[in-house]
């Protein structure tokens, strides 16, 4: 069975990932795509109050499950549009471990900080300053196959650009390059610690 393609949108909260993902579902016409969003997984969690430590544990398990759900859906041939916030290094490392790197088109979704603040305020469903806090963290790894700027391009323009780029994914992909760099460094560090 052929693995499905994964279009992985990474950016801060309010950067436009979900809007791009919705447009992609309409413009992509060479397969059946599913939109998997980390916010959707978070929304499935119980609504009762959790203590800080319990919440941290639940959030980590939620993200780990989200990553494995992406892998499972793609593994049986589904094409996936992922909407995620890689604001902690372990999230990227986990994705690099469980997702087939050659099947991932890694798209950085950028947006100027002042526009992020404006959107965040307009939405009213995010803590003020969340996007500003995530701004440097989500793109710290510094490697993408494609970058979109929602401060200068609309979601439909970004979706069309991604659609045009998809058949021309680079080889090796950004996920392949990042996997070599980060997972090899982790193995070297563990071997050095054992030695």
């Amino acid at each position: 069975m052929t693995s499905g393609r994964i279009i992985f949108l990474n950016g801060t909260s309010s950067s436009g990932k979900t809007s791009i993902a919705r447009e992609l579902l309409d413009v992509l016409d060479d397969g059946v795509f599913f939109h998997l969003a980390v916010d959707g997984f978070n929304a499935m969690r119980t609504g009762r109050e959790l203590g800080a430590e319990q919440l941290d544990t639940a959030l980590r398990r939620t993200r780990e499950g989200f990553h494995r759900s992406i892998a499972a859906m793609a593994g049986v041939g589904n094409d996936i549009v992922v909407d995620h916030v890689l604001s902690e290094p372990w999230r990227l490392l986990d994705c690099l471990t469980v997702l087939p790197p050659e099947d991932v088109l890694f798209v950085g979704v950028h947006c100027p900080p002042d526009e992020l603040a404006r959107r965040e305020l307009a939405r009213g469903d995010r803590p003020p300053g969340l996007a500003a806090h995530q701004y440097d963290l989500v793109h710290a790894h510094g490697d993408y196959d494609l970058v979109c700027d929602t401060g200068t391009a609309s979601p439909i323009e970004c979706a069309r650009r991604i659609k045009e780029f998809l058949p021309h994914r680079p080889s090796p992909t950004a996920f392949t390059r990042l996997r070599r760099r980060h997972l090899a460094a982790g193995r070297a560090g563990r071997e050095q610690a054992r030695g």
Side-chain angles (χ1 to χ4, degrees):
M1 177 176 298
T2 303
S3 246
R5 296 164 292 174
I6 301 169
I7 299 172
F8 195 116
L9 306 174
N10 176 48
T12 66
S13 173
S14 303
S15 62
K17 301 177 306 295
T18 302
S19 297
I20 294 170
R22 287 185 188 127
E23 296 292 352
L24 280 167
L25 292 183
D26 287 339
V27 302
L28 293 167
D29 54 9
D30 66 334
V32 177
F33 281 83
F34 293 84
H35 175 205
L36 296 181
V38 72
D39 286 348
F41 272 62
N42 288 331
M44 290 188 275
R45 192 177 55 251
T46 182
R48 72 179 167 81
E49 285 287 320
L50 300 174
E53 188 176 319
Q54 196 178 20
L55 179 60
D56 285 346
T57 300
L59 288 174
R60 182 163 182 128
R61 283 195 320 255
T62 301
R63 274 129 186 143
E64 288 174 342
F66 176 58
H67 303 159
R68 282 147 186 82
S69 296
I70 298 163
M73 285 288 286
V76 295
N78 294 299
D79 292 323
I80 309 295
V81 177
V82 175
D83 169 349
H84 204 355
V85 181
L86 297 175
S87 58
E88 297 173 283
W90 77 264
R91 295 181 193 184
L92 174 61
L93 293 176
D94 195 47
C95 288
L96 293 173
T97 302
V98 301
L99 301 179
E102 64 281 355
D103 295 332
V104 178
L105 174 65
F106 198 26
V107 181
V109 180
H110 292 265
C111 185
D114 57 335
E115 176 62 12
L116 286 171
R118 188 198 66 73
R119 291 177 187 179
E120 200 170 66
L121 186 63
R123 286 176 71 158
D125 65 349
R126 297 289 193 271
L130 177 63
H133 169 73
Q134 296 170 341
Y135 192 77
D136 291 327
L137 302 173
V138 296
H139 305 297
H141 55 82
D143 194 355
Y144 287 108
D145 297 308
L146 181 66
V147 172
C148 292
D149 184 341
T150 62
T152 58
S154 70
I156 187 64
E157 290 169 329
C158 292
R160 287 181 181 138
R161 185 164 175 229
I162 293 166
K163 176 186 177 179
E164 290 170 13
F165 189 84
L166 185 59
H168 310 289
R169 285 178 292 181
S171 182
T173 65
F175 250 54
T176 301
R177 296 187 301 269
L178 287 164
R179 185 181 220 180
R180 287 178 190 154
R181 193 171 350 161
H182 291 287
L183 298 185
R187 280 192 299 274
R190 286 190 299 276
E191 289 170 7
Q192 190 175 34
R194 283 195 301 255

